[in-house]
Amino acid sequence: MARLAESLTTGSGSGSDLSRRCQAMAWRSLLGLVAFACFGCSNSPYPEEDSDTKILYRSFEEAPKNLDPAYAYTTSATAILGRVYDTLLEYHYLKRPYQLIGGIAKEVPTAEVLDDGTIRYGFELRGEMLYQDDPCFAAYGGGATRQVLAGDLVFAFQRLADPLVNSPVFQSFANLKGFAEFAKALAERRKRDPAFRKLPPREQYRAVGGISGVVSEGPHHFELVLARPYPQILEWLAMHFSAPVPWEAVQHYDGKEGRDHFKDHPVGSGPYYLSEYAKESRYVLEKNLNWYGVKHPEWKAAGAVYPTSGAPGDEAHGLLPAEYVGKPLPFIERIVTVRDKESIPAFGKFLQGYYDSSGIVKESFDQLVRGDALSEEMSARGMKLEKSAKSDIFYLGFNMDDPVVGSAKGARSRALRQAMSLMVDVLEYTRVFTNGRGIPAQSPLPPGIFGYDAEYKNPFRTVDLKRAQALMVEAGYPGGIDPKTNKPLRLSFDTSDTSPDGGARFKFFVKAWRQLGISVEVSATDYNRFQKKMREGAFQIFQWGWVADYPDPENFMFLLWSKMSRKKSGGPNTANFSNAKYDELFLKMATRENDDRRMEIMKEMRTLLEHERPWIELYHRESYVLRHGWLKNVKAPGLSLPVSKYWDLDAAERGRRRTEWNRPIYWPAFLLLFMGLAIIAPGIRTFYQERQ
Amino acid sequence: MLAYVLRKLAYGGLTVLGVLLLIFVIFFAMARPDDVARRALGEKAQGAQIEKWKAKHGYDKPLWPTLAKPGGSLLQAHYVSLLSFEFGNSDLNDSPIGTTIRDGMGASLALTIPMFLSGLVLGLVLALFVAFFRETYIDTMGVFLCVLGMSVSILIYIIGSQFVFAKMLRWFPISGFDTDVIADGNWNLLLRFLALPVTVGVLSSFGGDTRFYRTVFVEEVNRDYVRTARAKGAGEMRVMLRHVLRNAMIPILTRVVVAIPFLFTGSLLLEAFFGIPGLGSITVDAIAGNDFSVLRVMVYIFALLFILAQIATDISYTLVDPRVRLE
C-alpha cells in the first residue's frame, strides 16, 4: 500500500496536492464510516426518543385509498376511520356472537312500528361530546372544536345519499324513508340549476328538503324512519359510513389554496385523531383528548371503558384482568402504522420487536407453530398466539346457468354437483395449502354469526367416493364418461390466480374430481378477463370468497339470492343461483330479528343449499395473530373492527427486549476487511516487486 | 448543434406520441373501463356506483374516436391531458397525480442519487484498480467477482442482505423510510434507512459496471498515447487518472447519462422490499391496481426523460471530446 501511495505522489506538484487531498478525504470518510459503525449502526427504524412512550407499532400492505367515511370501503381505510370517527353504535369488544352496544347513542334502540307501517329507531345521543381540535372550525367562526350534534348525523346520512359522494353503501341505506327521493331530487336540481351546484353541500341538502326518514330533534335526539323492515340497519350504524361529520370539515377541506381534500383529512370525534398521513408510507394516530371517554370517564359509557364481562373463556384467557376492568379507554397514546409491502421484511421486524403484532408468513409457520400452539422458542421470547375465526367463507361455485353443471338439467346436474362436492377433502386442502388454518365450512355461515351451528355436518361435505360414484351414475355420467362423446366429462375451472401456488391449489381439486373420471381443465387468466367471464356467465366452476360487512346471517345468505345474480344484476351471487323457495325464505329471514323463527328459516335454507349444491363450501379462514407479551388485552375481532382502544402495552418491557434482541454484531466487518486485505496485499506487493 | 438538437427533439416528440398510443392500446387490450372502476371501488361495488365512477373519471367515453363524435373519445382525452401536463387524479385513490409524483420523486432520489454516485465512484475506482493490476491474480479475481455479481439476481441481494445485515448482524433496519426525517433533520435515521438499500443497489450493479469500465480502460491502456506518456516519465497512477480515465469518458458518459432517467423513476424492487415510498413503488401499485391514470403518466415521464437523456448524452460528447461535432 505504501508503494501505491508513493506512486500517487509521483509527478507534478499539483498531482501531489491532489494525492494529499484524496488521502485526507479517504481518511475522513473512513473515520466517518467507523463513527457511524460504532455509534450510528442500529436496526431500529424508529427515533430513540420514542422508545419509552406507549406507542403501538403496526404495519400495512395496501395504502388507504380514500378517508371519506361515506365512501371508504377498504380494510386499510377502516383501520384509520374506525379510530377517528365515533359511531352511533358499536360492538361489544369481547362477547360472541357479536353484540351491539351504545356508542355515540346512549343505548341500542328498539324498532317501533308506526301507524303507516314505517319503522322508527330513536337515538338519544350523549351530551357534551366534542370533535377533535381542527382548524376547520375556526375557519367558520368557531373555536378549536365544537360539540357533536344530531344535525351532524343528519348531514352524514345526506352525504351517503349524495350522488356526487357516490357512496358504495347507498343501497344499504335505501330502505330509509325518502333516501332515494332525496338523491334523485339533488341530482335533478344540480342538473338544471348551475347556481345551485355552486352552493356548499350543506346548503344544497337543505334546499332540497333533506331526507324525510332522517330527523334530528334538538341537539341530542336523532331518529331514523325506515320505509320497510331492515333490522340490519343497526349493524351499518356500527360502521364509519354513518358517523357524524362536521359540515365545516367537508366545506373547508376542498383541496384548494393548499388545503387538504376532505378524503385525506378526516375530522371526527373518536378516541384517536390522524396527526400524520403520508398515504403511501405511514400514518400516525394520536390519542384524542377531546374524546368523550377521556373527557368524561365518570360516564362509564359502554364503549369508553374496558368491559366488565365477556364471552365464556375470556376470563381464563386473561381478558378480564382486575387492573383493566371498568378503566377508561384508550390506554395507548399513539399508533404508528408503517407500510411494508412485502410480508417477509414486515415479519422480520416483528421478530425484532419493532412491530407489536403480526400475522404469520406461510414460510415461517412450521417454525413458529407446533400443533396448535407456539413453538417453545417463540414462547420463551414472551410471544402469544391469538387465534380467531374470521367472518368469511371461501367456496367453489358452479355456474347455475351453465347447461352442464347448472340447474337446466334438474336432478341430473344436481347429482353431478353433489358428487363433485363429496370429493373435495377440505381438511387435506387446508393442511396442504393454509398450514391447517381454516375451519371446514358446512354452510355459508361462519362461527360467531347468528345461525352458525358447530354441530351441523353437511352430508355432502364429507369425502365419500362410493356415494359420489353412485351419484355420477344418477347424473348420467357413469365412471365420469359423457355418453355423448364416450370420453371423460370435460369441465372448466376458471380463476384469476395465475401464480404457481394457485396452480397447485387448483390441481388439488382437479385431482379429486379425476377420481370420478371427470376431466377438469383449469383456465387461469388475468383478473380482468376473469371478471369479464364472471359478468357474462361464461364459466362452469370457480373459486370465490366473501368477507362479511357486518355480523348478520343476511350478509351471507344474500350471496345466493336471485336478485343479486352477477350475470343479471352485477351482484355478488356469482353462482347465479336462482331458486324461488330460497328467495322466499331469504326475504323472510332478512327482515327478522334474531329469534327462534329466524333460526328455523335458516335451517330450511341450509337444507335447501345442502341439496342443491350451488357451492362446495370450503372453509372459513382462521386468523393466527402473533403478538409480543408486552401487548395486552388482545382479542382478535374476526371482523374489520379497530379495537386497539382496548389494548395496552408495557413500553419499558418492550424497550428492554428490543435492546436485548438487537445488539449489533461488528466482528464480521473487521474479519471481512482483514480477509480482503490479506488477499489483495500480496498481489500488490508482488506486482511492485516485479516492476522494480 | 441547435439544428441537431431540434431534429432530435422532433424525433423524440414523435417517439413519445407513439409510446402514448402504445400504452393506451396495451392497457385497454387488457382491461375495460369497468375493470378499472371495479379495482378502484372494490369487489363489492354495484353497477350504478360503477357507472357514476366512470362518468366522474371520464371513462364513460368511447375508447376510440367515432365518426359521430370524433372529439369525445378516451384516446383524445388521454393525449390532451398528458401533452398539456394536466395529469389529473389517480383512478385508484383520487389523489392529484402531480403531487404524488413530486412526493414520490423525493423518496426515489434519496435512494437513487447516493446509489448512483457511490456505484459510479466504486465502479470506476475498482475498474481502475483491476486495470492497473491487469494480468495479475487481482485482475482475475476482480473479473471473477464481477461476473459472479452480475449473475446473481437482485432479489437474492435484497433478501440475502436483509437476512444477513439486518436480521443476523443487526446493523441496519430491515426496511423502512420516513419522509419526515429529512424535514426533522434526523440524518442518522435517514442514513440508517438508506444504508442497506443503497449498498444492495451498488452491489447488484457494480459487477456489470466494473466489467464495462475495466474493458474500456484496458483498451485505452494499450494505446499509443499511453506509451508516449510513460516514455515521458509519467507515473503509472498519473497515467491512469490523467490520461486513461479522461480518454475513456465517451463510453463512460454514454452509460452514465442514459442511467439518469432511472434515478427519477426509482427502483421497483428496492423500493417495494425496503418500504421506500418512491416512484418505483407507486408504479408497482399502479400496475397492480389497474391505475391507468398513474401508469400512463409514469410511462410518459420516463419516455420524456429518456429522450432528453439521449440528447444530453450526445451534447456531453462534445464537452469531453473537442473532435466531436453535432450536425
Side-chain angles (χ1 to χ4, degrees), chain A residues 141-350:
Chain A
T145 180
R146 72 159 170 85
Q147 270 201 39
V148 178
L149 303 171
D152 298 329
L153 283 158
V154 172
F155 181 63
F157 275 82
Q158 289 169 337
R159 294 192 73 243
L160 285 174
D162 187 340
L164 282 182
V165 173
N166 199 15
S167 175
V169 296
F170 177 92
Q171 280 306 325
S172 306
F173 290 89
N175 290 312
L176 282 167
K177 196 176 160 191
F179 192 79
E181 291 80 356
F182 171 79
K184 197 175 166 196
L186 203 57
E188 281 174 2
R189 184 78 187 270
R190 280 178 182 152
K191 204 171 176 184
R192 67 168 192 267
D193 185 352
F196 176 81
R197 276 205 300 270
K198 288 178 186 160
L199 292 173
R202 189 172 70 134
E203 288 174 36
Q204 291 186 21
Y205 302 161
R206 258 194 213 145
V208 293
I211 304 168
S212 56
V214 180
V215 185
S216 65
E217 282 179 15
H220 302 124
H221 184 81
F222 175 72
E223 281 184 9
L224 291 176
V225 182
L226 299 177
R228 54 199 80 82
Y230 184 57
Q232 289 80 23
I233 188 93
L234 296 181
E235 315 274 359
W236 285 103
L237 300 182
M239 289 185 254
H240 56 73
F241 300 107
S242 56
V245 172
W247 61 267
E248 296 95 329
V250 177
Q251 214 155 305
H252 183 67
Y253 292 112
D254 54 2
K256 293 174 187 162
E257 295 167 18
R259 293 186 291 270
D260 288 341
H261 284 278
F262 178 61
K263 66 181 175 57
D264 295 325
H265 192 117
V267 179
S269 58
Y272 293 93
Y273 69 94
L274 189 63
S275 62
E276 194 185 319
Y277 184 45
K279 190 182 290 189
E280 300 294 334
S281 58
R282 146 195 169 99
Y283 60 85
V284 179
L285 295 157
E286 297 276 354
K287 184 174 173 178
N288 176 15
L289 298 177
N290 291 353
W291 186 50
Y292 72 88
V294 177
K295 282 251 177 207
H296 299 287
E298 72 283 0
W299 289 356
K300 299 267 174 196
V305 293
Y306 196 84
T308 51
S309 60
D314 281 348
E315 197 160 2
H317 281 99
L319 284 165
L320 288 164
E323 66 266 34
Y324 288 107
V325 166
K327 291 286 185 303
L329 308 172
F331 302 117
I332 288 171
E333 299 291 324
R334 194 185 303 159
I335 302 171
V336 175
T337 313
V338 181
R339 190 170 191 197
D340 257 312
K341 277 187 184 177
E342 300 297 327
S343 57
I344 292 175
F347 191 65
K349 282 202 268 185
F350 166 74

Side-chain angles (χ1 to χ4, degrees), chain B residues 9-49:
Chain B
L9 280 174
Y11 289 151
L14 288 174
T15 310
V16 167
L17 293 180
V19 166
L20 294 186
L21 181 66
L22 205 61
I23 180 82
F24 186 87
V25 171
I26 290 173
F27 188 88
F28 286 106
M30 302 292 289
R32 297 175 343 135
D34 273 50
D35 301 317
V36 181
R38 206 171 274 278
R39 269 295 168 95
L41 294 169
E43 205 38 63
K44 293 182 179 180
Q46 301 285 310
Q49 199 200 358

Side-chain angles (χ1 to χ4, degrees), chain B residues 230-244:
Chain B
R230 282 198 192 115
K232 283 182 159 184
E236 196 63 23
M237 194 54 65
R238 185 178 164 79
V239 168
M240 294 301 282
L241 293 175
R242 285 288 171 93
H243 301 284
V244 173

Side-chain angles (χ1 to χ4, degrees), chain B residues 25-94:
Chain B
V25 171
I26 290 173
F27 188 88
F28 286 106
M30 302 292 289
R32 297 175 343 135
D34 273 50
D35 301 317
V36 181
R38 206 171 274 278
R39 269 295 168 95
L41 294 169
E43 205 38 63
K44 293 182 179 180
Q46 301 285 310
Q49 199 200 358
I50 288 174
E51 291 309 316
K52 278 184 204 163
W53 186 94
K54 277 162 52 187
K56 187 181 168 190
H57 290 82
Y59 285 104
D60 54 343
K61 296 173 186 146
L63 285 181
W64 305 101
T66 54
L67 283 174
K69 213 176 173 187
S73 69
L74 203 53
L75 179 67
Q76 190 202 24
H78 166 68
Y79 271 110
V80 168
S81 89
L82 291 181
L83 295 178
S84 61
F85 289 89
E86 289 289 333
F87 297 148
N89 291 352
S90 152
D91 288 339
L92 210 56
N93 58 28
D94 251 347

Side-chain angles (χ1 to χ4, degrees), chain A residues 639-688:
Chain A
L639 288 166
S640 295
L641 299 172
V643 288
S644 47
K645 69 177 175 183
Y646 296 97
W647 296 357
D648 193 12
L649 59 85
D650 183 343
E653 168 68 4
R654 178 171 65 187
R656 199 176 60 76
R657 289 283 195 166
R658 278 184 185 170
T659 310
E660 185 188 322
W661 293 343
N662 296 295
R663 278 195 191 98
I665 302 169
Y666 292 121
W667 64 262
F670 298 109
L671 180 70
L672 208 66
L673 194 67
F674 175 75
M675 280 170 63
L677 288 175
I679 292 169
I680 292 170
I684 295 171
R685 206 179 65 180
T686 313
F687 178 81
Y688 279 104

Side-chain angles (χ1 to χ4, degrees), chain A residues 42-44 48 65 71 166 276 279 339-341 349 352 527-528 535 547 549 663 665 679 683, chain B residues 31-32 35 39 41 43-44 49 93 95 137 166 169-172 175 180 192-193 281 285 290:
Chain A
S42 158
N43 64 0
S44 171
E48 277 70 27
K65 293 174 188 165
Y71 184 88
N166 199 15
E276 194 185 319
K279 190 182 290 189
R339 190 170 191 197
D340 257 312
K341 277 187 184 177
K349 282 202 268 185
Q352 291 174 331
Y527 177 83
N528 298 326
R535 267 195 312 272
V547 182
D549 297 297
R663 278 195 191 98
I665 302 169
I679 292 169
Chain B
R32 297 175 343 135
D35 301 317
R39 269 295 168 95
L41 294 169
E43 205 38 63
K44 293 182 179 180
Q49 199 200 358
N93 58 28
S95 299
Y137 81 90
L169 303 179
R170 304 156 197 161
W171 292 353
F172 312 110
S175 66
D180 282 352
R192 227 185 274 169
F193 284 139
S281 178
D285 284 353
N290 262 0

